Amino acid sequence: MSTPDSTLPTDAQPTFRDLGLPAPLQSAVDDLGFTTPSPIQAEAVPALLAGRDITGVAQTGTGKTAAFGLPLLAALDADADVSRGHVQALVLAPTRELAMQVAEAVESFATHLPGVQVLPVYGGAPYQPQQRALRDGVHVVVGTPGRVMDHLDRGALHLDTVKFLVLDEADEMLRMGFAEDVETIFGQAPAERQVALFSATMPPAIRQVADTHLTDPVQIAVSRQSSTVTTVEQTYAVVPFRHKVGSLVRVLATSDADATIVFTRTRAAAEEVGVALVERGVSAATISGDVAQKEREKIVERLRSGALDVLVATDVAARGLDVDRIGLVVNFDLPREAEAYVHRIGRTGRAGRTGKALSFVTPHERGKLKHIERTIRTRLVEAEIPSPRDVSAHRARTILSTVPTRLEAGRLDLYTQLLTEHLTPGEDGTTPDPTQVAAALLALAVGDDGPQHLAAQAEHEKERAEVKGGRTRETKRAERSDRDGDRTRRHPRADRDGDRPRGIRRAAEGTRYRVAVGHAHGAQPRGIVGALTNEGGLRGADIGKIDIFGSFSLVDITKPLDDAAMNKIGRANVAGRQLRIAPDKGAPQARAPRSERRPAHTA
Ligand code: ADP
Ligand code: MG
């Protein structure tokens, strides 16, 4: 396969036909209605068809799947024997959901390549059907590193015939602790394979993977401006920590967005905010890493169908979430990294729609906001937090806008009669004014009882004046408690890798340990606790929070463990694997970059 030899006029927009795709793939592109390749496709497809390795730095929604999926299919040898797990192409994706999405897309590109089989493999699903499919023969496997490793270990999958290897969302894959698995997988593939590596960011760890495993790659970067960011209206509001939930409720109550995602920094905060919203009558659900895949898919489906309007999520949990209905992203907490900010707001403004993003910034986080603005080269516009009065006005307008339809529907005799009775002179001889009566009805309908509502409005105005005026003693004290007391008290155990010094991460109580079993191995909290108590002589009370990730888990243990205890526990088996317990130092990629770790006011 070679690059197209047609010479384009330089000012012409390239079309897919200019990229030199084989006819069956061009037909699939036509079927999908793709006419103009996205920038990353325009660069990656010819390079990959020419047999080059590539690195692609691009945000979500830039069309990466077709950029590697089409050339990957072009590289297949349809006549080769692929049975017994001797696949020709392997795509690694960080999560089950992404693996499924990519497999589905690659399948849609392969509709005119009869006989080409694409198989998604991921943890949390039974092995047998995947093993059977591999034995019968598939050309392309799209999988999470954990499950791919398991199939390799079981001899169900072989990489010695792989011609094309893709790492999709490589930064996320390393962040989730798959670095070792990725190394092993590269090690098992033949030396002359072609590699495409995609990542939203290019930190040193990813650069190193590229330097080690790619051959003279064509480096492609799609500028951030040309991706989703420009279609999103970005705003911020200064909100002291203790006003965040109330502010969020009013923002949601006045929003015209079909659906909203609220981002928090920690799982604990996600859960708290989710509960607080439901208590206030908002149709909201929470997804964090703790939510089982099945449950997560159900929630995402409800969001997509409109059965759910608000999703509260952590960064990792919302990865790959692609729901067109999302018109608003609220950063309840500012993300630690500017990159995460870009990912978050990329959840809206999808499929050619415009979206809005609102970030809550506590008074002492203004420096952090500046840092984000500098990194994304965009100024955020300050927005007003809606007041109780704004909320009532919004609700009243919504109700009034439905009045014509209700009038149209008729059958109002019952109410007309009651109103006529009500509007006759009372004992004191006065008749209520119809407009006043309608106003009272409207007030009741929006839940405005009068005095209390007025008090809430006055309170809100006072609070906003304090925030705006800035430096009163009261706000300073509030800021201090935001920074220290309040946050740690409200989110115990939460800020896992927050503003702590490098090195071993401390749990709220005790030390955080890393064990070598995770979701990919079918680990359950129960099993981990069992091993720790049986083999390690710990009591249940010594064990705090357990976070299970793809290939590992983090466990808070309050009792100090000496080397002997660690050795003993390390050899214990959970889900058929040794625990290999060690104090958690945090994956290097999981840490914020150095600049982010300075106190906010110097950033
Ligand atoms: P990424 O992996 O970069 O986040 P995807 O590959 O998932 O992006 O593509 C995002 C969306 O854009 C998908 O719905 C895809 O079908 C669509 N898409 C991709 N390329 C094109 C194109 N050239 N023309 C029109 N739509 C496209
Ligand atoms: Mg993608």
Side-chain angles (χ1 to χ4, degrees), residues 241-420:
F241 183 80
R242 65 189 188 288
H243 296 162
K244 278 189 178 183
V245 169
S247 301
L248 174 63
V249 170
R250 292 198 299 277
V251 165
L252 294 174
T254 52
S255 164
D256 293 317
D258 289 334
T260 302
I261 296 202
V262 178
F263 280 101
T264 62
R265 209 169 330 184
T266 66
R267 300 158 178 226
E271 248 124 62
E272 274 181 37
V273 171
V275 168
L277 290 179
V278 171
E279 277 172 2
R280 286 166 175 77
V282 181
S283 130
T286 305
I287 52 168
S288 69
D290 290 337
V291 173
Q293 271 298 341
K294 271 249 159 59
E295 185 63 18
R296 179 181 196 269
E297 278 159 31
K298 253 191 244 156
I299 292 173
V300 172
E301 198 37 56
R302 283 172 59 213
L303 190 70
R304 198 167 275 141
S305 69
L308 183 73
D309 291 334
V310 180
L311 184 65
V312 188
T314 53
D315 291 297
V316 169
R319 253 302 161 129
L321 200 90
D322 188 357
V323 177
D324 293 345
R325 284 181 72 242
I326 295 167
L328 173 67
V329 168
V330 178
N331 288 317
F332 187 86
D333 298 316
L334 272 186
R336 269 185 287 270
E337 298 167 43
E339 295 299 346
Y341 175 86
V342 175
H343 273 292
R344 287 178 174 192
I345 69 168
R347 300 300 109 212
T348 184
R350 297 184 77 78
R353 305 184 189 197
T354 54
K356 289 183 182 166
L358 170 65
S359 298
F360 287 176
V361 180
T362 62
H364 79 275
E365 279 178 333
R366 288 177 200 264
K368 202 165 189 175
L369 174 69
K370 287 267 137 44
H371 174 78
I372 290 176
E373 288 182 327
R374 269 201 300 275
T375 312
I376 64 169
R377 300 217 191 87
T378 306
R379 284 292 288 269
L380 273 58
V381 176
E382 182 159 16
E384 283 296 322
I385 292 292
S387 67
R389 193 184 163 83
D390 295 331
V391 172
S392 297
H394 183 89
R395 287 192 182 141
R397 272 190 218 104
T398 308
I399 292 175
L400 284 172
S401 74
T402 62
V403 167
T405 317
R406 182 64 193 85
L407 283 174
E408 194 82 10
R411 313 220 166 202
L412 289 163
D413 325 348
L414 171 62
Y415 309 102
T416 317
Q417 192 193 330
L418 287 168
L419 265 180
T420 311

Side-chain angles (χ1 to χ4, degrees), residues 202-276:
M202 204 33 90
I206 306 281
R207 171 81 29 231
Q208 201 191 326
V209 171
D211 288 347
T212 316
H213 298 292
L214 276 64
T215 311
D216 184 24
V218 177
Q219 303 190 11
I220 302 169
V222 173
S223 81
R224 200 165 280 135
Q225 268 69 17
S226 72
S227 62
T228 45
V229 177
T230 46
T231 58
V232 180
E233 180 192 320
Q234 302 175 58
T235 59
Y236 76 95
V238 178
V239 183
F241 183 80
R242 65 189 188 288
H243 296 162
K244 278 189 178 183
V245 169
S247 301
L248 174 63
V249 170
R250 292 198 299 277
V251 165
L252 294 174
T254 52
S255 164
D256 293 317
D258 289 334
T260 302
I261 296 202
V262 178
F263 280 101
T264 62
R265 209 169 330 184
T266 66
R267 300 158 178 226
E271 248 124 62
E272 274 181 37
V273 171
V275 168

Side-chain angles (χ1 to χ4, degrees), residues 16 34-38 41 59-66 322 350:
F16 263 102
F34 295 1
T35 50
T36 313
S38 70
Q41 291 164 355
Q59 301 298 324
T60 312
T62 47
K64 291 187 287 290
T65 322
D322 188 357
R350 297 184 77 78

Side-chain angles (χ1 to χ4, degrees), residues 6 26 84 87 91 113 136 149-150 165 209 211 245 255 321 421 430 448 479 511 526 550 597 601:
S6 65
Q26 181 59 50
R84 311 206 167 276
V87 301
V91 180
L113 295 171
D136 293 349
M149 284 295 296
D150 285 338
L165 194 60
V209 171
D211 288 347
V245 169
S255 164
L321 200 90
E421 282 167 27
T430 60
D448 174 355
E479 286 170 31
T511 303
R526 229 179 318 126
R597 314 200 116 254
H601 53 269

Side-chain angles (χ1 to χ4, degrees), residues 167-223:
L167 260 62
D168 196 11
E169 310 228 3
D171 51 349
E172 189 56 20
M173 216 132 46
L174 295 206
R175 223 191 297 270
M176 291 177 71
F178 286 130
E180 227 176 282
D181 293 345
V182 167
E183 289 300 314
T184 310
I185 288 164
F186 266 116
Q188 296 200 10
E192 61 279 14
R193 80 276 148 131
Q194 215 181 330
V195 185
L197 182 155
F198 292 92
S199 194
T201 59
M202 204 33 90
I206 306 281
R207 171 81 29 231
Q208 201 191 326
V209 171
D211 288 347
T212 316
H213 298 292
L214 276 64
T215 311
D216 184 24
V218 177
Q219 303 190 11
I220 302 169
V222 173
S223 81

